[in-house]
Amino acid sequence: MTPARGRGPLRFGVSLVPDASVPLLRTAQESDRFGLDLLGVRDQPYRRDTADALTLVAAALAATSRIRVLPAVACLPLRPPAVLAKAVATMDRLSGGRVELGLGAGTSWDGVEAYGGARPGGASAGSAAAARRALEEAVQIIRLHWSDQSGLRFQGEHYGFTALQAGPAPVHQIGIWLGVTGPRGLDLAGRVADGWIAPSSLVPPKRLADGQRRLDDAAAGAGRDPDEIRRVYVLEGSLDAKDARGFLHGPPRQWINELTELAIGHRVDSFLFGGHPAQMAEFALEVVPAVREEIARERGVPLRA
């Protein structure tokens, strides 16, 4: 396999469904105790019996000591960007710099509208393009809010923002990782984002390579270094001891091989386990260390302690 270009250390974590009926904070604490790097909280406010994602992110940060936590991804149509920027920056300050931001344009428009949100572009055929424009404006507003500028003013097609002063500023440079899957969304991520979040169900390996190329081309076209964009892959599968039943459905050895190939062959640098919470310990304690070892061996570098 050809060695991948690096974007910093590999990161492994969990993609958490905020089901209010399960012990969510225990899962966050176990993720931290098992040495995982990231805890992504899915944000679908319109789904019945789910906890609020941002409240859960804040609670998880308070209940842990080292893991980074992020909405993955925040539902922009129900999270006004200036308010979201203030909330995320506040959590970053209170946690000592352990927050990242996953951001999405929105998908379930019926659910968004049922919860009082608006569909960008209305019901027209151009609503997908309008949602992307709204997402780009949101990135601009959030970064403006986190800046050290004063006399802030932004007026776009979808969002407006005015403030005498920015802030509060986060204590570290928060990454804005876009959850997008289509070609135009990847173009946007390549131009403006710090990372790309892709679910395996929508972006299987056969689509991943094309997506990576599109992301790289858009970044290069905008004068950016593609290697500075983090590539986050949500692993929607089942980890068990039975025979292989397809991609990300099988025993630990299969997962180790597939994740190693994703990192080396497809340049993924961050993985979020989206399987059943009961399988998280096996992922963290068996799969993750083995993948780190395999990748270090492939790249010919010593494994960090």
Side-chain angles (χ1 to χ4, degrees), residues 104-130:
T107 53
S108 178
W109 294 111
D110 289 342
V112 166
E113 290 178 329
Y115 255 58
R119 186 190 303 255
S124 67
S127 59

Side-chain angles (χ1 to χ4, degrees), residues 30-48:
E30 289 177 347
S31 302
D32 195 38
R33 181 164 55 87
F34 292 153
L36 293 174
D37 308 296
L38 296 168
L39 175 66
V41 179
R42 303 186 193 185
D43 185 24
Q44 298 169 309
Y46 40 81
R47 288 189 58 186
R48 182 178 173 84

Side-chain angles (χ1 to χ4, degrees), residues 119-181:
R119 186 190 303 255
S124 67
S127 59
R132 286 192 301 272
R133 290 194 296 272
L135 183 59
E136 183 169 9
E137 290 180 11
V139 173
Q140 293 175 275
I141 289 175
I142 291 168
R143 290 208 173 112
L144 191 63
H145 198 286
W146 292 342
S147 73
D148 59 0
Q149 301 178 46
S150 59
L152 305 180
R153 184 179 299 274
F154 178 91
Q155 186 58 56
E157 179 183 349
H158 301 278
Y159 297 111
F161 170 60
T162 303
L164 294 177
Q165 292 181 323
V171 298
H172 90 293
Q173 186 173 335
I174 296 175
I176 301 178
W177 304 343
L178 298 188
V180 292
T181 57

Side-chain angles (χ1 to χ4, degrees), residues 36-260:
L36 293 174
D37 308 296
L38 296 168
L39 175 66
V41 179
R42 303 186 193 185
D43 185 24
Q44 298 169 309
Y46 40 81
R47 288 189 58 186
R48 182 178 173 84
D49 296 330
T50 57
D52 177 69
L54 291 189
T55 304
L56 180 55
V57 168
L61 288 164
T64 57
S65 61
R66 49 163 300 281
I67 197 168
R68 293 178 177 272
V69 188
L70 68 150
V73 295
C75 180
L76 178 60
L78 293 172
R79 308 283 186 187
V83 177
L84 178 63
K86 182 181 283 287
V88 171
T90 301
M91 289 187 283
D92 193 63
R93 293 172 70 92
L94 294 176
S95 66
R98 292 193 289 125
V99 178
E100 309 293 347
L101 175 58
L103 190 60
T107 53
S108 178
W109 294 111
D110 289 342
V112 166
E113 290 178 329
Y115 255 58
R119 186 190 303 255
S124 67
S127 59
R132 286 192 301 272
R133 290 194 296 272
L135 183 59
E136 183 169 9
E137 290 180 11
V139 173
Q140 293 175 275
I141 289 175
I142 291 168
R143 290 208 173 112
L144 191 63
H145 198 286
W146 292 342
S147 73
D148 59 0
Q149 301 178 46
S150 59
L152 305 180
R153 184 179 299 274
F154 178 91
Q155 186 58 56
E157 179 183 349
H158 301 278
Y159 297 111
F161 170 60
T162 303
L164 294 177
Q165 292 181 323
V171 298
H172 90 293
Q173 186 173 335
I174 296 175
I176 301 178
W177 304 343
L178 298 188
V180 292
T181 57
R184 302 302 181 191
L186 284 163
D187 290 344
L188 174 61
R191 292 198 314 272
V192 307
D194 302 301
W196 172 37
I197 301 178
S200 63
S201 59
L202 297 178
V203 188
K206 63 183 179 181
R207 287 192 57 201
L208 189 56
D210 290 338
Q212 297 279 34
R213 283 192 292 270
R214 185 124 194 170
L215 192 72
D216 290 347
D217 290 345
R224 307 179 65 206
D225 181 356
D227 282 345
E228 294 183 355
I229 301 175
R230 187 160 283 275
R231 323 295 169 110
V232 186
Y233 202 53
V234 182
L235 307 167
E236 300 172 311
S238 177
L239 176 61
D240 54 50
K242 299 177 182 178
D243 294 336
R245 293 174 286 110
F247 178 61
L248 296 179
H249 288 274
R253 173 43 58 182
Q254 175 187 336
W255 276 67
I256 293 165
N257 293 339
E258 289 175 342
L259 267 59
T260 300

